[in-house]
Amino acid sequence: MSLIRVFLPVAAVLLFPVASCTPLLGDAAARAVDRSLPEDYPVVPDGENSAGLLIDSFFDDPKLLALVDEALSNNQELNIVRQEFVIAQSEILARRGEYLPFVGAGAGAEIEKVGEYTSQGASDASDEIRPGRRVPEHLQNYVLGLSASWEIDIWNKLRDATKSAVMRYLSTVEGRNVLITQLVAEIAHTYYELLALDSQLDVLNRNIQIQSDALRIVRAEKNAGRVTELAVQRFEAEVLDTRSRVFEIRQAMVKSENYLNFLVGRFPQSIARENAAWLAGTPPVVRTGVPVQLLENRPDIRRAELELKAAKLDVDVARKSFYPSLSLEAAVGVEAFRPESLTVLPESILYNAASNLTAPLINRRALTAGYYSANSRQMQAVLSFERTLREAYMETVNLLAAISNLTSTYQLKAQQVATLESAVAISNQLFVSARADYMEVLLTRRDALNSQMELIETKKQQFSAIIDMYKALGGGWRRASTPEPEGNPDLPVK
């Protein structure tokens, strides 16, 4: 051990110039991250930020919430992402093990035959292990013991690598939250699309009944000689066209139901839903809060920030790879040329201890390349964070405008439907009194049907914009019943 105490100071003096001469390779990603947002952020006052609301509080449809609950447990893509937790945790475990001592146990046996006319052979031939007995012609050796090695983390390089792994684990958790927001939004979109298709199917069925009644009237008018066969055929063609649209709606319903079942993680089956009050209902009110809450609530921004922290730690690890590394090695055990002699103590005991202080000196291109790569990845992380932040702001502004414009559109569409329904009644009266021809009646009915279908489509777009706004603000991943990752490691790393 005295040799070690002498060696370490001498080696430190010799290697200090190596560490001090580490080239300044340049930190390409050292510039500050731009987190600023425009001052004219559209704030909806009165109330907390809607992103802070749990899914249960934002959506009030119990059947939709039941689908969300089932999807959070059964969705295959979400379950695949959960396995990323295990992978990330294993990486943390591996990194932590690197700065702890490695201890191993071993046993060995060997046999050796050397030439008699070599220096070792002549020496062995003259040795006597005990009076009257020489070393066997074939030399044997047996060893049993423990060995240990330990790299001292004098620059905190290994601990920084562990912290980087922790940051990436947390990033994986945020990635899970991003997927949950997308999954919840997609389920809600598809669910309300089904409600819209139900409403459109109901409108078509009611119009088919009305058109069929009108067709009977036109046939009666034709028998009375007031209209021609052309009018009858035009009315009949209109009925057939509406009936064909029914099958288009039904096919769209099949696709939407199957896709919703896929999101939930089950095979195709009927989707329970209640659309009686959907068309007359009011979409939830979304409040944007203040700009800084985008950073707090959006999981994709939080994930990008964690990736940025991990990338910065990777640069530190790559830089510290140029510094000297200190390692300790030791072994203890028993050794003898006969198995029974292994238990003869203390004669068979062996031990050794050594220390090494080394630093890269020549041909450090691999380390230099690793440093440049880490720097570039950090720059990518900076740009990715800024891009994610700007994208979040753009989505928020676009969706606020969409919500406002769709509200106005829906009000005007509702007035249009009411006006055309009145026009249909007037056209019927005029046709019966021979003051309007059948084409005016047909066109008015067609416009009324299209306006009703467009009104339902606008209502669906309203709900879709509200859902997207909730997701854009960072809502949709908070839910009391959301399964948390299992085996969460002790994340604070010192």
Side-chain angles (χ1 to χ4, degrees):
M1 296 303 292
S2 59
L3 179 61
I4 296 176
R5 287 194 294 268
V6 172
F7 171 75
L8 290 180
V10 173
V13 172
L14 292 176
L15 293 176
F16 177 76
V18 176
S20 62
C21 293
T22 298
L24 299 176
L25 300 176
D27 197 350
R31 72 171 178 83
V33 182
D34 185 6
R35 303 171 183 269
S36 61
L37 289 172
E39 296 182 358
D40 57 346
Y41 179 81
V43 176
V44 178
D46 302 330
E48 63 176 343
N49 188 341
S50 296
L53 298 177
L54 300 178
I55 301 173
D56 314 63
S57 303
F58 188 77
F59 297 107
D60 58 359
D61 191 322
K63 294 180 178 178
L64 171 59
L65 293 174
L67 291 171
V68 170
D69 278 338
E70 189 171 354
L72 292 179
S73 299
N74 299 334
N75 181 264
Q76 285 82 3
E77 187 176 1
L78 187 57
N79 287 329
I80 290 172
V81 169
R82 288 195 179 104
Q83 296 306 310
E84 295 293 331
F85 298 149
V86 181
I87 297 173
Q89 291 171 8
S90 300
E91 180 67 18
I92 295 174
L93 183 63
R95 294 294 185 180
R96 284 178 173 170
E98 288 180 352
Y99 57 80
L100 297 176
F102 292 87
V103 180
E110 63 179 352
I111 184 170
E112 182 184 13
K113 171 65 172 68
V114 298
E116 294 183 6
Y117 298 108
T118 63
S119 59
Q120 182 179 349
S123 175
D124 290 342
S126 63
D127 279 343
E128 290 185 359
I129 303 306
R130 62 178 63 173
R133 185 169 183 180
R134 296 181 180 276
V135 178
E137 180 180 0
H138 294 86
L139 300 179
Q140 303 174 44
N141 192 51
Y142 301 91
V143 63
L144 178 66
L146 300 174
S147 62
S149 62
W150 186 14
E151 181 178 352
I152 309 299
D153 192 18
I154 54 179
W155 310 111
N156 282 332
K157 178 183 70 174
L158 301 179
R159 283 175 170 77
D160 285 347
T162 304
K163 291 179 182 179
S164 175
V166 171
M167 292 299 106
R168 287 196 163 85
Y169 167 82
L170 295 174
S171 173
T172 304
V173 175
E174 294 300 339
R176 185 280 307 259
N177 293 337
V178 171
L179 182 58
I180 288 178
T181 63
Q182 294 172 348
L183 179 62
V184 170
E186 197 68 20
I187 289 174
H189 280 307
T190 310
Y191 181 80
Y192 285 116
E193 182 178 355
L194 275 174
L195 296 184
L197 291 172
D198 287 340
S199 299
Q200 289 178 336
L201 184 61
D202 182 61
V203 168
L204 289 176
N205 288 330
R206 285 189 283 108
N207 274 272
I208 288 173
Q209 183 62 44
I210 294 172
Q211 290 173 353
S212 298
D213 294 340
L215 177 59
R216 286 193 294 270
I217 294 174
V218 171
R219 283 173 176 166
E221 293 288 323
K222 187 257 183 183
N223 293 334
R226 298 181 59 184
V227 297
T228 65
E229 180 65 19
L230 178 61
V232 175
Q233 292 184 2
R234 291 298 299 268
F235 270 84
E236 187 174 2
E238 194 71 14
V239 174
L240 294 174
D241 177 68
T242 305
R243 286 179 177 174
S244 69
R245 295 176 68 178
V246 168
F247 293 99
E248 294 176 1
I249 295 296
R250 287 179 178 173
Q251 177 59 28
M253 292 172 65
V254 170
K255 292 179 63 177
S256 295
E257 280 191 325
N258 289 343
Y259 182 59
L260 190 49
N261 281 308
F262 171 75
L263 293 175
V264 172
R266 63 193 187 190
F267 288 104
Q269 56 185 273
S270 178
I271 299 294
R273 55 192 184 274
E274 181 60 55
N275 65 345
W278 174 75
L279 192 59
T282 302
V285 177
V286 178
R287 294 178 172 83
T288 61
V290 295
V292 71
Q293 290 174 330
L294 282 178
L295 303 176
E296 300 171 355
N297 293 319
R298 278 192 63 126
D300 56 341
I301 295 179
R302 290 150 58 103
R303 178 179 60 178
E305 187 164 17
L306 288 167
E307 289 289 345
L308 180 59
K309 292 178 180 179
K312 186 177 184 303
L313 287 168
D314 289 343
V315 172
D316 292 338
V317 172
R319 182 186 293 110
K320 292 173 182 177
S321 297
F322 293 93
Y323 299 167
S325 60
L326 172 63
S327 62
L328 303 178
E329 296 179 0
V332 63
V334 290
E335 184 178 18
F337 67 90
R338 290 195 304 267
E340 58 270 22
S341 299
L342 291 174
T343 57
V344 178
L345 302 176
E347 288 81 1
S348 63
I349 293 178
L350 70 86
Y351 60 88
N352 62 64
S355 63
N356 296 290
L357 186 64
T358 59
L361 185 61
I362 299 175
N363 193 7
R364 301 185 297 175
R365 294 183 181 180
L367 297 178
T368 303
Y371 180 82
Y372 280 133
S373 297
N375 239 327
S376 296
R377 285 192 292 269
Q378 184 185 6
M379 192 64 198
Q380 285 180 329
V382 171
L383 297 174
S384 177
F385 176 85
E386 294 176 351
R387 178 183 179 276
T388 303
L389 183 59
R390 284 157 176 72
E391 185 178 17
Y393 180 83
M394 177 192 69
E395 288 179 358
T396 303
V397 174
N398 288 346
L399 288 169
L400 274 176
I403 291 172
S404 176
N405 292 329
L406 285 170
T407 300
S408 301
T409 300
Y410 183 81
Q411 294 173 351
L412 295 174
K413 287 288 184 184
Q415 295 177 15
Q416 180 189 21
V417 169
T419 301
L420 287 172
E421 286 177 349
S422 176
V424 167
I426 294 173
S427 67
N428 289 337
Q429 297 173 0
L430 294 177
F431 178 73
V432 171
S433 61
R435 296 172 61 187
D437 59 25
Y438 68 89
M439 285 302 300
E440 291 178 301
V441 177
L442 280 175
L443 292 175
T444 304
R445 289 185 181 278
R446 185 178 300 170
D447 291 342
L449 173 60
N450 290 336
S451 67
Q452 290 172 335
M453 301 291 279
E454 290 173 0
L455 181 66
I456 296 172
E457 183 66 23
T458 303
K459 173 65 75 173
K460 185 191 77 172
Q461 292 176 4
Q462 273 189 295
F463 274 87
S464 294
I466 293 293
I467 294 167
D468 287 338
M469 187 66 188
Y470 180 52
K471 182 182 74 170
L473 292 173
W477 58 272
R478 293 183 175 93
R479 182 158 169 74
S481 59
T482 302
E484 292 298 327
E486 297 180 358
N488 192 344
D490 183 18
L491 295 180
V493 177
K494 299 182 180 179

PDB file of all heavy atoms in Angstrom, residues 122-149:
ATOM      1  N   ALA A 122      15.035 -26.233 -15.599  1.00  0.00           N
ATOM      2  CA  ALA A 122      16.152 -26.592 -14.737  1.00  0.00           C
ATOM      3  C   ALA A 122      15.900 -26.194 -13.296  1.00  0.00           C
ATOM      4  O   ALA A 122      16.233 -26.924 -12.360  1.00  0.00           O
ATOM      5  CB  ALA A 122      17.429 -25.915 -15.253  1.00  0.00           C
ATOM      6  N   SER A 123      15.273 -25.030 -13.123  1.00  0.00           N
ATOM      7  CA  SER A 123      14.982 -24.565 -11.759  1.00  0.00           C
ATOM      8  C   SER A 123      13.947 -25.452 -11.099  1.00  0.00           C
ATOM      9  O   SER A 123      14.086 -25.830  -9.940  1.00  0.00           O
ATOM     10  CB  SER A 123      14.506 -23.114 -11.800  1.00  0.00           C
ATOM     11  OG  SER A 123      14.105 -22.694 -10.518  1.00  0.00           O
ATOM     12  N   ASP A 124      12.893 -25.818 -11.865  1.00  0.00           N
ATOM     13  CA  ASP A 124      11.843 -26.654 -11.292  1.00  0.00           C
ATOM     14  C   ASP A 124      12.378 -28.041 -10.945  1.00  0.00           C
ATOM     15  O   ASP A 124      11.975 -28.651  -9.943  1.00  0.00           O
ATOM     16  CB  ASP A 124      10.677 -26.777 -12.268  1.00  0.00           C
ATOM     17  CG  ASP A 124       9.927 -25.463 -12.406  1.00  0.00           C
ATOM     18  OD1 ASP A 124      10.086 -24.607 -11.520  1.00  0.00           O
ATOM     19  OD2 ASP A 124       9.182 -25.295 -13.401  1.00  0.00           O
ATOM     20  N   ALA A 125      13.290 -28.539 -11.781  1.00  0.00           N
ATOM     21  CA  ALA A 125      13.817 -29.884 -11.539  1.00  0.00           C
ATOM     22  C   ALA A 125      14.655 -29.957 -10.277  1.00  0.00           C
ATOM     23  O   ALA A 125      14.792 -31.011  -9.658  1.00  0.00           O
ATOM     24  CB  ALA A 125      14.623 -30.340 -12.737  1.00  0.00           C
ATOM     25  N   SER A 126      15.228 -28.850  -9.886  1.00  0.00           N
ATOM     26  CA  SER A 126      16.082 -28.849  -8.698  1.00  0.00           C
ATOM     27  C   SER A 126      15.340 -28.481  -7.422  1.00  0.00           C
ATOM     28  O   SER A 126      15.904 -28.552  -6.337  1.00  0.00           O
ATOM     29  CB  SER A 126      17.246 -27.873  -8.898  1.00  0.00           C
ATOM     30  OG  SER A 126      16.754 -26.566  -9.051  1.00  0.00           O
ATOM     31  N   ASP A 127      14.087 -27.992  -7.565  1.00  0.00           N
ATOM     32  CA  ASP A 127      13.320 -27.612  -6.378  1.00  0.00           C
ATOM     33  C   ASP A 127      12.768 -28.839  -5.677  1.00  0.00           C
ATOM     34  O   ASP A 127      12.360 -29.813  -6.319  1.00  0.00           O
ATOM     35  CB  ASP A 127      12.156 -26.686  -6.756  1.00  0.00           C
ATOM     36  CG  ASP A 127      12.643 -25.261  -6.930  1.00  0.00           C
ATOM     37  OD1 ASP A 127      13.745 -24.959  -6.451  1.00  0.00           O
ATOM     38  OD2 ASP A 127      11.914 -24.470  -7.563  1.00  0.00           O
ATOM     39  N   GLU A 128      12.702 -28.774  -4.375  1.00  0.00           N
ATOM     40  CA  GLU A 128      12.097 -29.838  -3.592  1.00  0.00           C
ATOM     41  C   GLU A 128      10.993 -29.232  -2.740  1.00  0.00           C
ATOM     42  O   GLU A 128      11.207 -28.274  -2.005  1.00  0.00           O
ATOM     43  CB  GLU A 128      13.131 -30.499  -2.682  1.00  0.00           C
ATOM     44  CG  GLU A 128      14.156 -31.314  -3.437  1.00  0.00           C
ATOM     45  CD  GLU A 128      15.066 -32.048  -2.498  1.00  0.00           C
ATOM     46  OE1 GLU A 128      14.885 -31.881  -1.264  1.00  0.00           O
ATOM     47  OE2 GLU A 128      15.914 -32.770  -2.968  1.00  0.00           O
ATOM     48  N   ILE A 129       9.792 -29.783  -2.908  1.00  0.00           N
ATOM     49  CA  ILE A 129       8.667 -29.264  -2.127  1.00  0.00           C
ATOM     50  C   ILE A 129       8.734 -29.760  -0.686  1.00  0.00           C
ATOM     51  O   ILE A 129       8.434 -29.062   0.250  1.00  0.00           O
ATOM     52  CB  ILE A 129       7.335 -29.711  -2.778  1.00  0.00           C
ATOM     53  CG1 ILE A 129       7.285 -29.226  -4.219  1.00  0.00           C
ATOM     54  CG2 ILE A 129       6.144 -29.167  -1.992  1.00  0.00           C
ATOM     55  CD1 ILE A 129       7.525 -27.743  -4.359  1.00  0.00           C
ATOM     56  N   ARG A 130       9.181 -31.006  -0.513  1.00  0.00           N
ATOM     57  CA  ARG A 130       9.379 -31.560   0.805  1.00  0.00           C
ATOM     58  C   ARG A 130      10.526 -32.586   0.697  1.00  0.00           C
ATOM     59  O   ARG A 130      10.824 -33.048  -0.414  1.00  0.00           O
ATOM     60  CB  ARG A 130       8.103 -32.198   1.344  1.00  0.00           C
ATOM     61  CG  ARG A 130       7.624 -33.366   0.500  1.00  0.00           C
ATOM     62  CD  ARG A 130       6.391 -34.002   1.085  1.00  0.00           C
ATOM     63  NE  ARG A 130       5.276 -33.050   1.099  1.00  0.00           N
ATOM     64  CZ  ARG A 130       4.050 -33.404   1.447  1.00  0.00           C
ATOM     65  NH1 ARG A 130       3.825 -34.647   1.868  1.00  0.00           N
ATOM     66  NH2 ARG A 130       3.089 -32.536   1.424  1.00  0.00           N
ATOM     67  N   PRO A 131      11.143 -32.979   1.767  1.00  0.00           N
ATOM     68  CA  PRO A 131      12.279 -33.923   1.685  1.00  0.00           C
ATOM     69  C   PRO A 131      11.887 -35.215   0.969  1.00  0.00           C
ATOM     70  O   PRO A 131      10.853 -35.812   1.264  1.00  0.00           O
ATOM     71  CB  PRO A 131      12.640 -34.171   3.158  1.00  0.00           C
ATOM     72  CG  PRO A 131      12.169 -32.956   3.863  1.00  0.00           C
ATOM     73  CD  PRO A 131      10.935 -32.497   3.158  1.00  0.00           C
ATOM     74  N   GLY A 132      12.729 -35.602  -0.014  1.00  0.00           N
ATOM     75  CA  GLY A 132      12.530 -36.850  -0.739  1.00  0.00           C
ATOM     76  C   GLY A 132      11.503 -36.763  -1.853  1.00  0.00           C
ATOM     77  O   GLY A 132      11.142 -37.784  -2.430  1.00  0.00           O
ATOM     78  N   ARG A 133      10.989 -35.552  -2.197  1.00  0.00           N
ATOM     79  CA  ARG A 133       9.979 -35.450  -3.263  1.00  0.00           C
ATOM     80  C   ARG A 133      10.217 -34.211  -4.076  1.00  0.00           C
ATOM     81  O   ARG A 133      10.398 -33.121  -3.537  1.00  0.00           O
ATOM     82  CB  ARG A 133       8.571 -35.426  -2.662  1.00  0.00           C
ATOM     83  CG  ARG A 133       7.497 -35.448  -3.760  1.00  0.00           C
ATOM     84  CD  ARG A 133       6.141 -35.702  -3.158  1.00  0.00           C
ATOM     85  NE  ARG A 133       5.134 -35.783  -4.199  1.00  0.00           N
ATOM     86  CZ  ARG A 133       3.848 -36.003  -3.963  1.00  0.00           C
ATOM     87  NH1 ARG A 133       3.458 -36.177  -2.718  1.00  0.00           N
ATOM     88  NH2 ARG A 133       2.995 -36.068  -4.940  1.00  0.00           N
ATOM     89  N   ARG A 134      10.204 -34.361  -5.392  1.00  0.00           N
ATOM     90  CA  ARG A 134      10.377 -33.229  -6.296  1.00  0.00           C
ATOM     91  C   ARG A 134       9.043 -32.809  -6.910  1.00  0.00           C
ATOM     92  O   ARG A 134       8.045 -33.528  -6.828  1.00  0.00           O
ATOM     93  CB  ARG A 134      11.377 -33.582  -7.406  1.00  0.00           C
ATOM     94  CG  ARG A 134      12.791 -33.867  -6.911  1.00  0.00           C
ATOM     95  CD  ARG A 134      13.710 -34.170  -8.060  1.00  0.00           C
ATOM     96  NE  ARG A 134      15.059 -34.429  -7.581  1.00  0.00           N
ATOM     97  CZ  ARG A 134      15.933 -33.488  -7.325  1.00  0.00           C
ATOM     98  NH1 ARG A 134      15.613 -32.233  -7.508  1.00  0.00           N
ATOM     99  NH2 ARG A 134      17.149 -33.792  -6.881  1.00  0.00           N
ATOM    100  N   VAL A 135       9.095 -31.659  -7.579  1.00  0.00           N
ATOM    101  CA  VAL A 135       7.908 -31.180  -8.296  1.00  0.00           C
ATOM    102  C   VAL A 135       7.590 -32.147  -9.414  1.00  0.00           C
ATOM    103  O   VAL A 135       8.506 -32.614 -10.100  1.00  0.00           O
ATOM    104  CB  VAL A 135       8.144 -29.763  -8.858  1.00  0.00           C
ATOM    105  CG1 VAL A 135       6.932 -29.292  -9.640  1.00  0.00           C
ATOM    106  CG2 VAL A 135       8.448 -28.815  -7.719  1.00  0.00           C
ATOM    107  N   PRO A 136       6.341 -32.514  -9.639  1.00  0.00           N
ATOM    108  CA  PRO A 136       5.992 -33.436 -10.718  1.00  0.00           C
ATOM    109  C   PRO A 136       6.458 -32.891 -12.060  1.00  0.00           C
ATOM    110  O   PRO A 136       6.680 -31.697 -12.247  1.00  0.00           O
ATOM    111  CB  PRO A 136       4.467 -33.513 -10.634  1.00  0.00           C
ATOM    112  CG  PRO A 136       4.130 -33.103  -9.242  1.00  0.00           C
ATOM    113  CD  PRO A 136       5.178 -32.122  -8.836  1.00  0.00           C
ATOM    114  N   GLU A 137       6.599 -33.855 -13.019  1.00  0.00           N
ATOM    115  CA  GLU A 137       7.052 -33.470 -14.364  1.00  0.00           C
ATOM    116  C   GLU A 137       6.096 -32.476 -14.999  1.00  0.00           C
ATOM    117  O   GLU A 137       6.498 -31.547 -15.689  1.00  0.00           O
ATOM    118  CB  GLU A 137       7.204 -34.723 -15.217  1.00  0.00           C
ATOM    119  CG  GLU A 137       7.682 -34.430 -16.632  1.00  0.00           C
ATOM    120  CD  GLU A 137       7.818 -35.696 -17.450  1.00  0.00           C
ATOM    121  OE1 GLU A 137       7.536 -36.796 -16.918  1.00  0.00           O
ATOM    122  OE2 GLU A 137       8.189 -35.582 -18.636  1.00  0.00           O
ATOM    123  N   HIS A 138       4.797 -32.723 -14.806  1.00  0.00           N
ATOM    124  CA  HIS A 138       3.783 -31.790 -15.312  1.00  0.00           C
ATOM    125  C   HIS A 138       3.383 -30.875 -14.162  1.00  0.00           C
ATOM    126  O   HIS A 138       2.800 -31.335 -13.163  1.00  0.00           O
ATOM    127  CB  HIS A 138       2.555 -32.535 -15.825  1.00  0.00           C
ATOM    128  CG  HIS A 138       2.846 -33.371 -17.038  1.00  0.00           C
ATOM    129  ND1 HIS A 138       3.333 -34.647 -16.951  1.00  0.00           N
ATOM    130  CD2 HIS A 138       2.732 -33.071 -18.362  1.00  0.00           C
ATOM    131  CE1 HIS A 138       3.490 -35.137 -18.179  1.00  0.00           C
ATOM    132  NE2 HIS A 138       3.134 -34.193 -19.055  1.00  0.00           N
ATOM    133  N   LEU A 139       3.675 -29.598 -14.278  1.00  0.00           N
ATOM    134  CA  LEU A 139       3.381 -28.649 -13.214  1.00  0.00           C
ATOM    135  C   LEU A 139       1.883 -28.359 -13.161  1.00  0.00           C
ATOM    136  O   LEU A 139       1.247 -28.129 -14.191  1.00  0.00           O
ATOM    137  CB  LEU A 139       4.151 -27.344 -13.444  1.00  0.00           C
ATOM    138  CG  LEU A 139       5.674 -27.490 -13.479  1.00  0.00           C
ATOM    139  CD1 LEU A 139       6.309 -26.139 -13.733  1.00  0.00           C
ATOM    140  CD2 LEU A 139       6.185 -28.098 -12.189  1.00  0.00           C
ATOM    141  N   GLN A 140       1.319 -28.385 -11.977  1.00  0.00           N
ATOM    142  CA  GLN A 140      -0.103 -28.107 -11.776  1.00  0.00           C
ATOM    143  C   GLN A 140      -0.238 -26.913 -10.843  1.00  0.00           C
ATOM    144  O   GLN A 140       0.631 -26.661 -10.007  1.00  0.00           O
ATOM    145  CB  GLN A 140      -0.792 -29.324 -11.171  1.00  0.00           C
ATOM    146  CG  GLN A 140      -0.637 -30.592 -12.009  1.00  0.00           C
ATOM    147  CD  GLN A 140      -1.208 -31.802 -11.309  1.00  0.00           C
ATOM    148  OE1 GLN A 140      -2.285 -31.723 -10.743  1.00  0.00           O
ATOM    149  NE2 GLN A 140      -0.482 -32.898 -11.327  1.00  0.00           N
ATOM    150  N   ASN A 141      -1.415 -26.244 -11.004  1.00  0.00           N
ATOM    151  CA  ASN A 141      -1.657 -25.085 -10.141  1.00  0.00           C
ATOM    152  C   ASN A 141      -3.153 -24.901  -9.978  1.00  0.00           C
ATOM    153  O   ASN A 141      -3.922 -25.028 -10.944  1.00  0.00           O
ATOM    154  CB  ASN A 141      -1.034 -23.823 -10.735  1.00  0.00           C
ATOM    155  CG  ASN A 141      -1.006 -22.688  -9.725  1.00  0.00           C
ATOM    156  OD1 ASN A 141      -0.539 -22.887  -8.608  1.00  0.00           O
ATOM    157  ND2 ASN A 141      -1.512 -21.531 -10.108  1.00  0.00           N
ATOM    158  N   TYR A 142      -3.581 -24.616  -8.754  1.00  0.00           N
ATOM    159  CA  TYR A 142      -4.995 -24.419  -8.449  1.00  0.00           C
ATOM    160  C   TYR A 142      -5.139 -23.090  -7.702  1.00  0.00           C
ATOM    161  O   TYR A 142      -4.298 -22.764  -6.846  1.00  0.00           O
ATOM    162  CB  TYR A 142      -5.547 -25.559  -7.596  1.00  0.00           C
ATOM    163  CG  TYR A 142      -5.407 -26.908  -8.253  1.00  0.00           C
ATOM    164  CD1 TYR A 142      -4.264 -27.682  -8.036  1.00  0.00           C
ATOM    165  CD2 TYR A 142      -6.404 -27.401  -9.087  1.00  0.00           C
ATOM    166  CE1 TYR A 142      -4.120 -28.923  -8.633  1.00  0.00           C
ATOM    167  CE2 TYR A 142      -6.266 -28.647  -9.697  1.00  0.00           C
ATOM    168  CZ  TYR A 142      -5.128 -29.399  -9.468  1.00  0.00           C
ATOM    169  OH  TYR A 142      -4.991 -30.612 -10.072  1.00  0.00           O
ATOM    170  N   VAL A 143      -6.217 -22.383  -8.034  1.00  0.00           N
ATOM    171  CA  VAL A 143      -6.432 -21.081  -7.398  1.00  0.00           C
ATOM    172  C   VAL A 143      -7.911 -20.892  -7.127  1.00  0.00           C
ATOM    173  O   VAL A 143      -8.769 -21.329  -7.904  1.00  0.00           O
ATOM    174  CB  VAL A 143      -5.892 -19.926  -8.286  1.00  0.00           C
ATOM    175  CG1 VAL A 143      -6.642 -19.852  -9.604  1.00  0.00           C
ATOM    176  CG2 VAL A 143      -5.970 -18.593  -7.541  1.00  0.00           C
ATOM    177  N   LEU A 144      -8.224 -20.260  -6.020  1.00  0.00           N
ATOM    178  CA  LEU A 144      -9.607 -19.961  -5.626  1.00  0.00           C
ATOM    179  C   LEU A 144      -9.590 -18.638  -4.880  1.00  0.00           C
ATOM    180  O   LEU A 144      -8.801 -18.467  -3.935  1.00  0.00           O
ATOM    181  CB  LEU A 144     -10.148 -21.070  -4.713  1.00  0.00           C
ATOM    182  CG  LEU A 144     -11.564 -20.882  -4.175  1.00  0.00           C
ATOM    183  CD1 LEU A 144     -12.571 -20.933  -5.313  1.00  0.00           C
ATOM    184  CD2 LEU A 144     -11.875 -21.975  -3.142  1.00  0.00           C
ATOM    185  N   GLY A 145     -10.435 -17.677  -5.334  1.00  0.00           N
ATOM    186  CA  GLY A 145     -10.399 -16.389  -4.653  1.00  0.00           C
ATOM    187  C   GLY A 145     -11.394 -15.384  -5.172  1.00  0.00           C
ATOM    188  O   GLY A 145     -12.268 -15.694  -5.997  1.00  0.00           O
ATOM    189  N   LEU A 146     -11.272 -14.168  -4.683  1.00  0.00           N
ATOM    190  CA  LEU A 146     -12.125 -13.041  -5.048  1.00  0.00           C
ATOM    191  C   LEU A 146     -11.280 -11.969  -5.712  1.00  0.00           C
ATOM    192  O   LEU A 146     -10.116 -11.767  -5.344  1.00  0.00           O
ATOM    193  CB  LEU A 146     -12.820 -12.453  -3.818  1.00  0.00           C
ATOM    194  CG  LEU A 146     -13.729 -13.377  -3.009  1.00  0.00           C
ATOM    195  CD1 LEU A 146     -14.210 -12.667  -1.753  1.00  0.00           C
ATOM    196  CD2 LEU A 146     -14.905 -13.851  -3.845  1.00  0.00           C
ATOM    197  N   SER A 147     -11.889 -11.269  -6.675  1.00  0.00           N
ATOM    198  CA  SER A 147     -11.211 -10.140  -7.315  1.00  0.00           C
ATOM    199  C   SER A 147     -12.153  -8.954  -7.343  1.00  0.00           C
ATOM    200  O   SER A 147     -13.386  -9.118  -7.387  1.00  0.00           O
ATOM    201  CB  SER A 147     -10.781 -10.512  -8.749  1.00  0.00           C
ATOM    202  OG  SER A 147     -11.931 -10.806  -9.540  1.00  0.00           O
ATOM    203  N   ALA A 148     -11.602  -7.777  -7.308  1.00  0.00           N
ATOM    204  CA  ALA A 148     -12.410  -6.552  -7.294  1.00  0.00           C
ATOM    205  C   ALA A 148     -11.726  -5.486  -8.135  1.00  0.00           C
ATOM    206  O   ALA A 148     -10.494  -5.420  -8.197  1.00  0.00           O
ATOM    207  CB  ALA A 148     -12.619  -6.050  -5.859  1.00  0.00           C
ATOM    208  N   SER A 149     -12.562  -4.673  -8.783  1.00  0.00           N
ATOM    209  CA  SER A 149     -12.057  -3.513  -9.526  1.00  0.00           C
ATOM    210  C   SER A 149     -13.030  -2.369  -9.326  1.00  0.00           C
ATOM    211  O   SER A 149     -14.241  -2.581  -9.179  1.00  0.00           O
ATOM    212  CB  SER A 149     -11.913  -3.839 -11.019  1.00  0.00           C
ATOM    213  OG  SER A 149     -13.178  -4.158 -11.585  1.00  0.00           O
TER     214      SER A 149
END
